[in-house]
């Protein structure tokens, strides 16, 4: 291929290629406009390509390239897309990047890059997508990032960044913002709630605090992750304004109050995780509105009352965890209509009555947690039909009988 000196586009992505890239590629193929060797098994240093001044698209992601990102990039003034994620690059982002002043996408996630987030990134004002996630960057976000007003995608996730985030919420066209797994702190800036085009907002695993009463203004959100922070206060009743929401995770905070009735209007929800908070009150019978729901975690709250029998209307659900609450009453009959369940945990409540006789219809279960309740009667023989069951907790009840063989039971 190196003999094809007039080649304009070389696209070899995903072909299971091994070995190294020739050190002469920049000389032999100096007319290239597109070079794509992504998603292979290439290794070694990536050679200098500064002589390929026509290059607009360089994709080398998903390999094992090591060393540093080439420092001679300043001559590549036509570059629009630079993708080098998922490699083993180390050191800092080279300052020569400023020469790529037409750059729209800069993707270096999943390397071993370190240092502070460079101030000069703010000079790349044509950037639309910036992904620095899963590296070793530290310190605060440079104020210069506020100049990147055209961004639609920004990820700084899984680094060691701290401080506030006011300088990354200036791009009114942002569709996706992921700054999870850092040490960002303080209350959320009001400008965040002006990003009305956001589809994805992931602020999880930081040290944010305060209330989130303005989140429902983000009416296009499909994914909202706020888990593992220090948020408090109630969930606003206007939560149903986020009508497109499919995935909400707000676990491990200090949210209080009841689950607003308007939450049940969000019929597109697929994943709900509100565990490890201080919610009280009951679960509404409107739970059956979640016809698309596959995962519901409400564990470790202060919820009480009956688990509604309308749970049976969520036939697609595969994970249900309402453990460590104060639920009472019987295990609802509707639970056996949830035949896609893999994980069911009702333990550490005050449920009474008996186990459903037909619980054996839940043939997909691998985990069944009913321990530390007030259940009585005989363990149904139908349990033996749950062939994939690996973990069964029945301790601290008043149950009699034997458990299926081959199941770890407490």
């Amino acid at each position: 291929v190196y003999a094809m000196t007039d080649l304009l586009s070389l696209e070899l992505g995903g072909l299971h290629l091994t070995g190294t890239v020739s050190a002469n590629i920049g000389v032999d193929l100096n007319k290239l406009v597109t070079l794509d060797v992504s998603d292979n098994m290439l290794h070694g240093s990536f050679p200098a390509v500064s002589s390929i001044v026509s290059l607009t698209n360089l994709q080398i992601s998903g390999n094992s390239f090591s060393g540093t990102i080439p420092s001679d990039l300043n001559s590549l003034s036509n570059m629009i897309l630079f993708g080098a994620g998922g490699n083993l690059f180390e050191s800092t982002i080279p300052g020569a990047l400023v020469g790529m002043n037409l750059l729209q996408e800069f993707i270096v996630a999943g390397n071993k890059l370190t240092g502070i987030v460079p101030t000069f990134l703010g000079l790349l004002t044509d950037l639309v997508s910036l992904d620095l996630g899963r590296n070793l960057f530290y310190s605060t976000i440079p104020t210069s990032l506020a100049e990147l007003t055209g961004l639609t995608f920004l990820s700084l996730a899984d680094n060691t960044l701290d401080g506030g985030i006011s300088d990354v919420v200036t791009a009114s066209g942002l569709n996706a913002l992921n700054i999870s797994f850092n040490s960002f702190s303080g209350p959320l800036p009001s400008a965040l709630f002006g990003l009305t085009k956001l589809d994805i907002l992931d602020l999880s695993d930081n040290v944010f605090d305060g209330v989130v009463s303005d989140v429902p203004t983000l009416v296009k959100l499909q994914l909202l992750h706020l888990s593992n922070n220090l948020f408090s206060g109630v969930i606003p009743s206007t939560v149903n304004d986020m009508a497109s929401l499919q995935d909400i995770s707000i676990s491990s905070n200090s949210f209080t109050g009841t689950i607003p009735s308007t939450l049940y209007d969000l019929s597109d929800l697929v994943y709900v995780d509100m565990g490890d908070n201080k919610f009280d009150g009951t679960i509404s019978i409107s739970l059956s509105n979640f016809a698309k729901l596959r995962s519901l975690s409400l564990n470790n709250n202060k919820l009480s009352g009956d688990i509604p029998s309308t749970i049976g209307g969520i036939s697609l659900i595969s994970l249900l965890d309402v453990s460590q609450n104060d639920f009472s009453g019987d295990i609802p009959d509707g639970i056996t209509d949830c035949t896609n369940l893999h994980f069911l945990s009702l333990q550490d409540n005050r449920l009474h009555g008996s186990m459903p006789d037909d619980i054996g219809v839940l043939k997909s279960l691998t985990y069944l947690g009913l321990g530390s309740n007030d259940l009585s009667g005989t363990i149904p023989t139908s349990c033996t039909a749950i062939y994939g069951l690996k973990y069964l907790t029945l301790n601290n009840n008043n149950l009699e009988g034997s458990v299926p063989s081959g199941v770890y039971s407490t």
Side-chain angles (χ1 to χ4, degrees):
V1 71
Y2 297 111
M4 304 170 68
T5 56
D6 290 328
L7 198 64
L8 298 179
S9 180
L10 180 59
E11 301 184 37
L12 302 174
L15 296 180
H16 306 288
L17 300 176
T18 60
T20 61
V21 176
S22 169
N24 295 321
I25 189 172
V27 176
D28 297 335
L29 301 177
N30 61 10
K31 295 182 181 179
L32 281 177
V33 175
T34 296
L35 174 58
D36 182 357
V37 293
S38 60
D39 300 317
N40 284 292
M41 293 175 280
L42 301 170
H43 64 272
S45 299
F46 192 78
V49 291
S50 56
S51 59
I52 314 179
V53 294
S54 55
L55 202 58
T56 65
N57 185 333
L58 176 58
Q59 299 186 54
I60 61 174
S61 297
N63 285 284
S64 295
F65 291 119
S66 56
T68 61
I69 293 176
S71 59
D72 58 349
L73 301 175
N74 55 322
S75 63
L76 302 179
S77 57
N78 293 305
M79 187 73 72
I80 294 174
L81 188 157
F82 180 82
N87 283 289
L88 302 171
F89 289 119
E90 299 176 312
S91 190
T92 58
I93 297 175
L97 192 69
V98 295
M100 300 161 65
N101 54 11
L102 299 179
L103 197 63
Q104 296 180 17
E105 297 185 47
F106 183 61
I107 302 165
V108 291
N111 282 285
K112 299 179 180 181
L113 299 171
T114 187
I116 63 173
V117 175
T119 300
F120 61 74
L121 288 178
L123 299 174
L124 303 176
T125 53
D126 284 349
L127 274 178
V128 174
S129 180
L130 176 61
D131 191 349
L132 307 181
R134 293 178 289 119
N135 279 289
L136 303 171
F137 295 114
Y138 56 83
S139 191
T140 58
I141 297 172
T143 58
S144 62
L145 289 197
E147 303 300 319
L148 303 180
T149 56
L151 283 177
T152 61
F153 178 93
L154 175 60
S155 176
L156 304 173
D158 203 359
N159 283 286
T160 317
L161 299 166
D162 56 34
I165 62 167
S166 58
D167 293 313
V168 298
V169 293
T170 57
S172 60
L174 266 179
N175 300 133
L177 175 61
N178 184 355
I179 56 174
S180 60
F181 292 95
N182 281 286
S183 296
F184 293 119
S185 59
L188 300 180
S190 58
L192 176 66
F193 306 111
L195 303 179
T196 55
K197 295 183 180 180
L198 274 178
D199 297 318
I200 296 172
L201 177 60
D202 192 344
L203 309 180
S204 58
D205 292 271
N206 281 287
V207 202
F208 291 117
D209 57 29
V211 298
V212 292
S213 57
D214 291 327
V215 165
T217 62
L218 306 177
V219 295
K220 292 189 176 181
L221 274 185
Q222 297 180 32
L223 180 148
L224 174 63
H225 284 188
L226 304 177
S227 57
N228 290 298
N229 279 285
L230 301 173
F231 292 120
S232 58
V234 301
I235 303 301
S237 61
T238 52
V239 65
N240 60 335
D241 288 344
M242 297 187 290
S244 299
L245 201 61
Q246 298 176 23
D247 184 336
I248 180 171
S249 178
I250 59 174
S251 62
S252 299
N253 282 285
S254 295
F255 289 114
T256 57
T258 60
I259 299 173
S261 60
T262 49
L263 181 73
Y264 302 100
D265 295 334
L266 300 176
S267 57
D268 284 336
L269 279 173
V270 178
Y271 301 99
V272 175
D273 186 356
M274 301 172 68
D276 294 303
N277 280 287
K278 299 177 181 179
F279 292 115
D280 55 30
T282 61
I283 298 178
S284 170
I285 60 172
S286 300
L287 188 66
S288 57
N289 290 350
F290 294 150
K292 300 178 182 179
L293 200 65
R294 294 182 180 273
S295 178
L296 176 62
S297 297
L298 299 172
N299 56 295
N300 197 20
N301 280 288
K302 300 178 181 180
L303 299 168
S304 59
D306 293 345
I307 300 172
S309 60
T310 51
I311 186 73
I314 314 176
S315 59
L316 297 178
I317 195 165
S318 62
L319 183 150
L320 176 62
D321 187 353
V322 296
S323 62
Q324 295 177 280
N325 279 286
D326 197 33
F327 290 115
S328 55
D330 295 337
I331 298 175
D333 292 337
I335 201 74
T336 54
D337 292 327
C338 303
T339 54
N340 288 299
L341 276 171
H342 290 264
F343 183 102
L344 174 61
S345 182
L346 309 179
Q347 61 195 31
D348 291 294
N349 282 287
R350 292 191 299 114
L351 299 173
H352 52 73
S354 59
M355 293 174 62
D357 286 337
D358 57 347
I359 198 167
V361 300
L362 302 180
K363 297 183 184 297
S364 297
L365 277 180
T366 58
Y367 181 99
L368 175 58
L370 301 176
S372 297
N373 281 288
D374 295 318
L375 300 174
S376 57
T378 303
I379 298 171
T381 56
S382 66
C383 283
T384 58
I386 311 176
Y387 302 114
L389 192 63
K390 301 297 182 185
Y391 300 97
L392 175 64
T393 62
L394 301 174
N395 58 304
N396 297 322
N397 284 289
N398 296 302
L399 293 164
E400 299 176 347
S402 57
V403 299
S405 59
V407 175
Y408 178 76
S409 175
T410 59

